[in-house]
Structures are given as C-alpha cells and as structure tokens.
Amino acid sequence: MAASARLLFRGAGLKAYTANVNSGAQSSFGTTLLRLSPNCSSQTKTQIKHASHFTYHPDPVPTMYGPTTKMNLFQSVTSALDNTLASDPTAVIFGEDVAFGGVFRCTVGLRDKYGKDRVFNTPLCEQGIVGFGIGAAAAGATAIAEIQFADYIYPAFDQIVNEAAKYRYRSGNLFDCGNLTIRAPWGCVGHGSLYHSQSPEAFFAHCPGIKIVIPRGPVQCKGLLLSCIEDHNPCIFFEPKILYRAAVEQVPTEAYTIPLSQAEVLQEGSDVTLVAWGTQIHVLREVVSMAQEKLGVSCELIDLQTILPWDTETVCKSVAKTGRLLISHEAPVTGGFAAEISSTVQTPVHTLNQTDSNLSTMAKTRELCKDIRDKIVDQHKAGMGYRTIGQQLGEKATTVGAIIRKWKKFKKTVNLPQSGAPCKFSPRGASVIMRKVRDQPRTIHRTWSVT
Amino acid sequence: MPYLNISHFWGVVVSSRSYADFTPEKVDLHRLEEGPPLTSTLTREDGLKYYRTMQTIRRMELKADQLYKQKIIRGFCHLYDGQEACAVGIEGGITLSDHLITAYRAHGYTLTRGGTVREIMAELTGRREGIAKGKGGSMHMYTKNFYGGNGIVGAQVPLGAGVALACKYLGTDQLCVSLYGDGAANQGQIFETYNMASLWKLPIIFICENNQYGMGTSVERASASTEYYKRGDFIPGLRVDGMDVLCVREATKFAADHCRSGKGPILMELQTYRYHGHSMSDPGVSYRTREEIQEVRSKSDPISMLKDRMLSNNMASVEELKEIDIEVRKEIEDAAQFATTDPEPPLDDLCSHIYANEKSFEVRGATPWTKLTSHS
C-alpha cells in the first residue's frame, strides 16, 4: 500500500528533511536533524519486496449505546442496514448482487427478512443505479445504493456531481435527494491492482452538496453509516474493504449515530499532528507507538472520518498546538485530499491563534520538549533556582529563565508557531550541520562544537 | 492408416446442432433477410487447427487454475474454458489484420490473436517475458490488433467503435470485433455505441458472449430482454450457438462480409457457457447446479463436438488427436515452467510508461524519500 504522507514543519529553516524512523534515541524532536537511513536510498541496489502490513487496532467497547456483540466490518454494515430497514418503512437497498448478500457479505439475510421489494438487485449499470437512487430519494424513499467497488463509481460521477449534489440548490430547496446514501468498498486490499483498490474521495471532495464519510472500524462504521442515512444530504460512504473481515470489535446492536463532520482525536500528543482516515489510521497508530518508543516523539492522532465537509477546527487547533502536521492516505499525492488539508492549515497565524490573541506576542523559547518545560516549571515552583534547574536538566540557565518568565507571564509553556522566517541557523551554518550529519549520522545536537 | 496420405479430406458438416437445451436449433435473425449458410465446409487442416487451438486454450486455462491455487498466479484470474469455440470460431471468420477488443475474460483471445502460451502464462505470473511485460496481468493482455483485456465492463465497446472508425477512415478493408458479455450488455455506453456505429456506418461487429451468467446473476434476473441480438434495435443481429466452432465461424464470416460491404455495424449473440466460476474466487456453484455444468460438459463441450465430428467423418484418427493432446500438454507444461522461473520485471519498470515523454522524471515511491524513475 502506498501511503502518501505530507510532512509540514513550521518554523523550519532547513529545507532538506528526510525522516528516519530507525534511529536511536534522540532527546528533542525539534532541533534534531533526521538522517537518511541506508534503507531509504533512492538507488536500490537489490530489489527487496517490502510486504506492507498493518495491524488492526480495535476501539474500546462503547458503553453508551446499549448491549454490544462481536462484529466485523461487514457485519456492522449489515446491522446498520437491518436497523434502518426495521425502523424506516421507506428504506430500500439496491445494487449489483445485493440480494444474495453482496460480494462482501454486507447485505446477508436482509432480503429474506424484509422482502424482495426492499432489497433487490440492479443490472450492471452504475450510472443507472445512482440515477435511479436519486429519483427514488427525491420521491421520498430512503435509498441506499451500493456500488460494487469504488473503482466502478465513475460512470455515476455525472449523476452524483451534476444531479445529486445540486438538486437542493437548483430547486431553491423545493426538492432534494437527501435520502440517498451511496455505499462502496474502498481502498487498497493488497491484490486489487488497478480496478479494485482505488480511493476516489478526492474526486468527490471537489463537489459541494454531497458528504463523504470513511470509517476506521466497525463501531465507527455502523454509527457513521446510520448518520449518513439519517442525514438530509446525499452521502457517499466508503468502506475500507481490507477491514471487512480483519476489523473485529464489540459493536452495539441497537441503532446509534456518530456525528458527521467531527474529527476524532484518538490520541493526544504535543509534538506532531497525524491525520488519516480509514485503513491508514491503524498504520498511523503503529507509527505513533514507534515514534514514542524510538524517538521520544509525542504524536497526536486524528481520524478525520468525514472528508467532506471536514472538521477544519479540530485539525487546525491541533496543528496550532504541535506545530507539525503529517497526513497519510492511499490515493495519489497530486490533488489528493492531503493537499486540501495542508493548504487549509497553512493559513496566516492570526486565524490559528483566534482563541488567545495575546499569545501571538509571546516570544518563542528554545525548542525543548514539553516534558522538560513542564519539569522546569515544576522545579521552580518547588523553589529551585535557575542555575540549579539548569544543571539538573542539562540546560542553560538563560533558557530555564526564559521558560519560567514565559510561564509567569502567560501561564503557559507552549510554543506556538510564528510567522516570519526563523533565523536560528544561517545558510552556512545549515550546510555545516548537514555535512556533519551526513558524515556522522549518529550526531546529536550536544556534540556540536559549533554554536 | 491409409487416409493419412490424403492431405485434404472434404467433409460436409451440418452446422446446426440438434439438442434443445441451447435453443435455437437454427440461427436467429433480427432485421436480416437471410443469415449465414446452414451448412459449412470444414477441411481437415482447419479442423486440426481448431482442435489444437481449442485444446491449447482449454489446457492453458486449467493450468492457470492450478497455478492460481498454488498462489503462483495472484490477483484476479477469469478463465475461459467452455467458451473456446467463440474465440477460435471468430478468428476463423476474420483475419489477423482485423481488430478485436474484449473484456477481462481474455486469455483465449490473446492466444488466437497471435500471443504464445509462454507469453500468456508469463504475464499471468507477472514476469518479465509476459506479453505486457508483466505489468498487466490476467486482465490486461495485448497483441497486435488486439486491444485487450479491459477491466471495466462495457468500457471496451466504445473503444472498439473508435478502432472501427479508424479502419473506415484509413480506407483499409479491416473491421473491428467488439466483444462484451451478457452482464455488460446492460451498460449505457453500449447503447451509445450502437447509435454512433449505426449513424456513421462503422465496420464493427458487436458480439455478445452470452454465457448465461453475469458473475453470479443469471440473464433472466438481470435483463428485461434476454434476446441480446435484438438489443441493437436498428442494428441487424443474429444469434448462434457459441459452443459449435463452425456455427461461430460461419456467423462471423457472414458478419464480416456485411461490414466489409459497407452496410455498417452488425450484432452477434453467441450462446455459450463457462465451466469455471466468474473468477478464481468464485466456485461457480452457488448460483447454478453442478448438474447443469455437467450436462453442458457432456452434451455440448466444444472440443468434444469437434472431435466427434472429425472422427465420425474420418477426418482424423483417434491417435492423431491424442498426439495433438500430448503435444499441447507438453507445450503448456513448458510454458508453465518458464512462467514460474522467469524473473520478475525490474523495479525500474514499476513507474515506467505513465506518460510518454522524451526524458524520464521522478515519481514518488511508497515513502516521501524513495524515488522511482519513470522511463518512457
């Protein structure tokens, strides 16, 4: 699986950053220069087949939605559809091969339970399926259309973009097809190749009027799918096909909803924000623990969940806190959704600092990690002097002083990103450092003889 | 045996079959005054050629099945056994300078259009010497005048119309055969193509290979009209038995003459059957009974039919055909051996041929700092 990651480093004077996940312990992430691991050479001498993998990380058992039972992803889809067909008499499910249960078993048993006029097959015609769905939704039925693979959704692109998305707007709210939900298996599966692996969310993100949702596991899947069905806008729900069987969780049997357009912070951190959706969440969970263990880096992991409209506030707030953003997705890089997120996040500082305007005048103290800064403050509160603290923690007394002064004035120890070119290193200094690191990859900042 | 000295032995064969499961007994016509001849002449040479080709396709598909189960072939694999008469019969009615395009069940056509078993098997296993350099796999095989091998069903038919337009425009006497299945027959773009082809009188033969099942859905459950040869409406059509190689050949010859005489497109429906499931991940028995498959195998297997015909008309001996069988088996074995031992394409090839450009450019690899070069 090729994951495209966009790394954004704010306040970085150095342009050439290459990340090495295999390095030894580093003290602080901020000033550490990451080095090129020998494995990552662009000239591969031998062809090594890197088997990509991910480990599924299940969510904790939800307690607020009632009794739960063990389900995998396709079973959670069936459960959601079951709840919908039971509670909504206008609900119908249609698509290629849904009657016998679907090629991924998502609709097993529904036709027997609810009848063949509510769960039925369509012929092989995606454009027809979605067009038909729009009409059925506009006429009042809760239409749940299945496109057999997201790779096949393109014949229906015109219907989705030109008809479904604009229906409400062009009729001045007289008509709408909000009752339409389109479901499609999505994403890499390992052997899918060109036409069973695609992630087309970016194509649809360019279209106001529809919603796009991608879950990371069964609990989210059921809740988000039910939200999509309830939502009064046409929604496209992409289900990561590699997780259909692999993702097993305790899922509530009753109906419940998870709000759309709300990103979820899965893990709090202070050094870098990681954003992903679907399968990549589980890859990034591994990254988070590797980074903590091997680099001492504290990552904040966010599951975007809704791609359109996406939760800009949560992501921007997080980046304001950490100063760095990494986005991972499976689609091609150019024009992928990471490009949209990264360009939105890189707006001028004043919009990020909306909550605390006085902090924009705060000086930026030396980039020590949060733990050390907090420790300094704690020790000062305990009564230690600057010099003593400095000696204990191995920092200069002036740095300690600056941090404590900042804390006294603003009651915070954070470092917010600031505009303007930072001038920590001169270009000559930067090339000296790069040369040194290239020669001696195990260099850490303490060994500098240069200031 | 004395008859071996005779180089040509003429046999007159009645091309229609006499069993009722695959109706009709004769050719069905739509908007046509007369159809292809109901008798066909098969020469010994042709007979042996067809037998050999069909047997090669059959054995190749069975070998592919075996290799897939051994996980030497990965990804998707859609097998053609049972439908050999279609590929071989069509090729018998056109020449190699004509053009052909089909969907993903393409191994048989790759062979009849000039591919070798070696190349095909190496492509299935994704090796360097594969017919698409190991980058296409089962669904994307190409040879000269054979445009694949296409993953998205229905999408290949407008392409075929474009090829036909090129033939007409360039003034060659060539035509294009565009194949699709009974499932794809319900795609909107096919009807768009019917209209364009008819409007501009393109030399295209639309062929619907009706194997009764679109993946797991039987034709009655998918189509309002299962008379696919009439679906062209204003386009003349004919329906023939696709299990009989001579039927298919005569029908294709008739259709080719129709096109070449400038009368425009024509639609053919071949009623055929596949023994395997839709693909290797489909056992093929959840939507049809084993008895049905057995019945077709025993009553209308294309290779057996041809063999019986040839034997009963003394056009070949049992030993001769057995010898062909042995040769074919050996060829397949060698090809399979080659396909498993040939090296995989080099990493440099991974990103090649994305664009056509004069100089190479760099493509981001699986991580931001690995770069691959795209050559063209």
Side-chain angles (χ1 to χ4, degrees):
Chain A
M1 285 185 279
S4 54
R6 278 178 176 264
L7 258 65
L8 301 176
F9 291 86
R10 309 204 82 231
L14 301 168
K15 283 184 199 143
Y17 261 30
T18 49
N20 168 35
V21 183
N22 303 322
S23 78
Q26 306 283 1
S27 59
S28 63
F29 190 54
T31 47
T32 305
L33 295 165
L34 307 167
R35 59 188 159 92
L36 189 68
S37 149
N39 293 336
C40 297
S41 162
S42 58
Q43 294 118 10
T44 44
K45 298 181 188 85
T46 54
Q47 294 179 54
I48 310 159
K49 205 183 261 187
H50 295 283
S52 48
H53 78 284
F54 74 99
T55 322
Y56 180 73
H57 296 81
D59 271 2
V61 181
T63 47
M64 57 284 212
Y65 303 123
T68 64
T69 179
K70 191 161 103 164
M71 287 190 214
N72 59 28
L73 195 82
F74 72 73
Q75 286 165 338
S76 71
V77 172
T78 318
S79 176
L81 297 175
D82 194 357
N83 292 138
T84 307
L85 289 168
S87 60
D88 179 354
T90 70
V92 283
I93 301 174
F94 50 91
E96 292 159 26
D97 299 309
V98 298
F100 86 94
V103 288
F104 289 109
R105 329 284 295 130
C106 292
T107 47
V108 171
L110 296 178
R111 185 179 168 97
D112 294 332
K113 198 167 168 188
Y114 296 102
K116 58 181 167 61
D117 53 340
R118 295 185 73 188
V119 180
F120 53 91
N121 282 340
T122 58
L124 216 172
C125 44
E126 287 73 23
Q127 185 171 20
I129 291 170
V130 174
F132 174 89
I134 294 171
T142 300
I144 304 165
E146 178 180 301
I147 299 290
Q148 196 157 78
F149 282 88
D151 315 54
Y152 306 161
I153 205 168
Y154 307 112
F157 197 82
D158 172 69
Q159 285 288 343
I160 294 170
V161 168
N162 277 334
E163 305 300 322
K166 298 172 169 61
Y167 214 114
R168 190 188 291 275
Y169 185 85
R170 73 187 183 199
S171 66
N173 207 19
L174 271 178
F175 289 95
D176 70 87
C177 57
N179 292 331
L180 175 65
T181 307
I182 301 168
R183 291 179 36 243
W186 166 101
C188 293
V189 71
H191 55 275
S193 191
L194 295 172
Y195 302 114
H196 295 77
S197 316
Q198 289 178 36
S199 310
E201 68 270 12
F203 291 116
F204 295 100
H206 193 53
C207 175
I210 50 173
K211 295 199 175 182
I212 308 169
V213 180
I214 305 176
R216 65 170 184 275
V219 174
Q220 308 303 114
C221 177
K222 180 169 168 174
L224 290 170
L225 180 55
L226 286 169
S227 295
C228 285
I229 294 171
E230 261 181 37
D231 193 275
H232 297 305
N233 295 292
C235 296
I236 306 180
F237 188 76
F238 288 126
E239 300 158 2
K241 62 175 86 69
I242 200 174
L243 297 182
Y244 272 136
R245 284 181 198 271
V248 183
E249 279 174 2
Q250 289 286 117
V251 180
T253 45
E254 300 296 317
Y256 62 99
T257 55
I258 292 177
L260 299 183
S261 295
Q262 266 189 34
E264 197 180 327
V265 179
L266 297 178
Q267 196 157 327
E268 303 234 355
S270 57
D271 295 325
V272 59
T273 304
L274 307 182
V275 174
W277 47 91
T279 320
Q280 287 298 308
I281 288 287
H282 305 287
V283 176
L284 287 190
R285 275 211 198 264
E286 248 184 275
V287 169
V288 165
S289 48
M290 277 172 87
Q292 183 64 61
E293 217 177 280
K294 301 196 177 171
L295 297 173
V297 168
S298 154
C299 303
E300 180 147 303
L301 179 59
I302 298 182
D303 181 2
L304 202 61
Q305 289 185 346
T306 305
I307 307 300
L308 185 74
W310 63 286
D311 188 353
T312 47
E313 205 184 307
T314 306
V315 176
C316 290
K317 224 155 119 178
S318 173
V319 179
K321 183 170 81 167
T322 61
R324 296 169 193 90
L325 174 63
L326 184 151
I327 309 158
S328 180
H329 65 66
E330 291 170 7
V333 180
T334 308
F337 201 65
E340 170 65 26
I341 298 176
S342 61
S343 74
T344 305
V345 161
Q346 288 182 92
T347 44
V349 172
H350 69 267
T351 58
L352 292 173
N353 282 353
Q354 269 163 358
T355 45
D356 294 287
S357 51
N358 61 335
L359 288 178
S360 60
T361 58
M362 190 169 69
K364 188 170 184 182
T365 44
R366 180 140 177 263
E367 293 238 33
L368 297 177
C369 72
K370 195 171 186 326
D371 300 333
I372 298 188
R373 282 183 260 128
D374 289 341
K375 233 185 266 178
I376 290 175
V377 169
D378 291 335
Q379 290 190 341
H380 177 74
K381 280 200 257 191
M384 267 196 237
Y386 294 176
R387 206 180 286 273
T388 334
I389 301 175
Q391 270 168 4
Q392 274 219 330
L393 296 175
E395 301 298 329
K396 287 163 92 169
T398 43
T399 314
V400 172
I403 291 172
I404 293 173
R405 270 192 297 281
K406 185 160 151 180
W407 172 74
K408 280 190 178 160
K409 185 163 181 210
F410 296 101
K411 296 281 168 283
K412 281 185 205 290
T413 53
V414 292
N415 273 332
L416 285 184
Q418 299 204 314
S419 59
C423 50
K424 282 187 148 309
F425 300 111
S426 66
R428 192 166 156 273
S431 47
V432 167
I433 292 168
M434 283 305 287
R435 203 186 326 130
K436 180 127 189 171
V437 170
R438 243 182 252 121
D439 296 338
Q440 241 301 24
R442 295 200 75 88
T443 311
I444 54 172
H445 70 279
R446 252 182 273 256
T447 61
W448 292 131
S449 51
V450 183
T451 305
Chain B
M1 298 290 278
Y3 73 86
L4 284 172
N5 295 327
I6 305 167
S7 54
H8 289 287
F9 196 103
W10 293 88
V12 174
V13 182
V14 175
S15 64
S16 60
R17 292 178 311 109
S18 57
Y19 98 76
D21 281 18
F22 276 73
T23 53
E25 290 180 82
K26 55 176 176 31
V27 176
D28 285 316
L29 301 172
H30 170 71
R31 286 185 190 267
L32 281 169
E33 293 300 316
E34 46 176 57
L38 289 174
T39 58
S40 165
T41 311
L42 176 70
T43 63
R44 187 183 127 81
E45 206 182 308
D46 278 345
L48 290 175
K49 190 174 80 172
Y50 298 158
Y51 181 83
R52 180 184 283 270
T53 318
M54 289 204 285
Q55 192 69 281
T56 312
I57 297 176
R58 174 68 60 90
R59 294 252 69 89
M60 184 174 72
E61 297 299 79
L62 293 176
K63 193 64 177 169
D65 174 277
Q66 211 179 43
L67 290 176
Y68 192 93
K69 290 186 173 135
Q70 292 171 352
K71 295 201 188 229
I72 297 171
I73 296 178
R74 314 302 304 275
F76 295 97
C77 196
H78 307 86
L79 298 177
Y80 199 64
D81 54 322
Q83 296 183 217
E84 298 90 357
C86 296
V88 174
I90 290 171
E91 197 56 42
I94 58 174
T95 66
L96 274 176
S97 60
D98 290 317
H99 307 265
L100 193 141
I101 188 170
T102 182
Y104 48 75
R105 206 175 294 281
H107 306 164
Y109 290 101
T110 319
L111 190 75
T112 54
R113 289 257 97 202
T116 62
V117 185
R118 253 165 89 93
E119 285 173 329
I120 294 173
M121 302 225 78
E123 185 60 41
L124 285 173
T125 52
R127 307 299 162 114
R128 227 174 267 233
E129 292 294 312
I131 204 163
K133 316 255 186 338
K135 288 171 71 172
S138 163
M139 283 198 267
H140 307 288
M141 297 193 183
Y142 301 84
T143 70
K144 184 167 193 309
N145 292 347
F146 173 54
Y147 303 84
N150 292 282
I152 305 291
V153 290
Q156 76 277 8
V157 182
L159 250 93
V163 173
L165 177 70
C167 297
K168 182 169 180 180
Y169 185 83
L170 294 172
T172 61
D173 210 18
Q174 295 158 6
L175 49 81
C176 183
V177 178
S178 275
L179 291 124
Y180 55 94
D182 45 278
N186 295 316
Q187 276 275 322
Q189 34 196 336
I190 294 185
F191 295 91
E192 292 179 15
T193 316
Y194 290 159
N195 184 45
M196 287 193 285
S198 208
L199 196 61
W200 301 323
K201 294 230 178 322
L202 300 179
I204 180 170
I205 306 176
F206 295 105
I207 301 187
C208 176
E209 282 181 294
N210 180 0
N211 58 18
Q212 314 300 322
Y213 297 95
M215 214 159 75
T217 308
S218 68
V219 290
E220 301 82 37
R221 293 193 297 126
S223 302
S225 160
T226 54
E227 297 183 308
Y228 295 100
Y229 69 109
K230 289 188 182 165
R231 289 282 195 93
D233 189 19
F234 36 79
I235 297 182
L238 61 153
R239 174 167 63 184
V240 290
D241 178 11
M243 303 299 265
D244 184 342
V245 66
L246 294 177
C247 273
V248 177
R249 184 184 74 170
E250 289 313 310
T252 313
K253 274 198 186 138
F254 173 79
D257 290 335
H258 184 275
C259 283
R260 285 192 231 273
S261 61
K263 293 191 193 144
I266 186 166
L267 209 162
M268 253 167 66
E269 181 187 337
L270 301 175
Q271 293 208 303
T272 180
Y273 201 85
R274 52 169 163 82
Y275 296 148
H276 271 87
H278 161 76
S279 71
M280 286 308 300
S281 48
D282 172 22
V285 287
S286 49
Y287 46 87
R288 52 186 191 174
T289 57
R290 281 186 209 273
E291 287 77 39
E292 183 187 299
I293 307 173
Q294 271 310 108
E295 195 186 345
V296 176
R297 238 190 234 276
S298 54
K299 290 205 185 128
S300 39
D301 181 73
I303 298 176
S304 312
M305 271 207 288
L306 182 66
K307 183 172 172 182
D308 292 339
R309 275 214 184 105
M310 289 182 66
L311 289 177
S312 59
N313 284 289
N314 283 329
M315 286 167 71
S317 70
V318 177
E319 288 82 17
E320 212 176 353
L321 295 179
K322 258 211 182 63
E323 215 181 283
I324 295 181
D325 284 348
I326 294 172
E327 282 170 29
V328 163
R329 257 181 231 265
K330 183 161 187 318
E331 190 186 350
I332 304 291
E333 278 306 318
D334 288 342
Q337 184 59 28
F338 174 71
T340 35
T341 53
D342 194 38
E344 287 179 351
L347 196 62
D348 291 336
D349 264 2
L350 183 64
C351 291
S352 304
H353 306 299
I354 297 176
Y355 284 112
N357 22 24
E358 297 84 34
K359 51 183 175 119
S360 342
F361 63 97
E362 282 200 329
V363 175
R364 179 201 191 275
T367 53
W369 43 91
T370 45
K371 297 271 185 240
L372 295 159
T373 330
S374 173
H375 304 287
S376 49

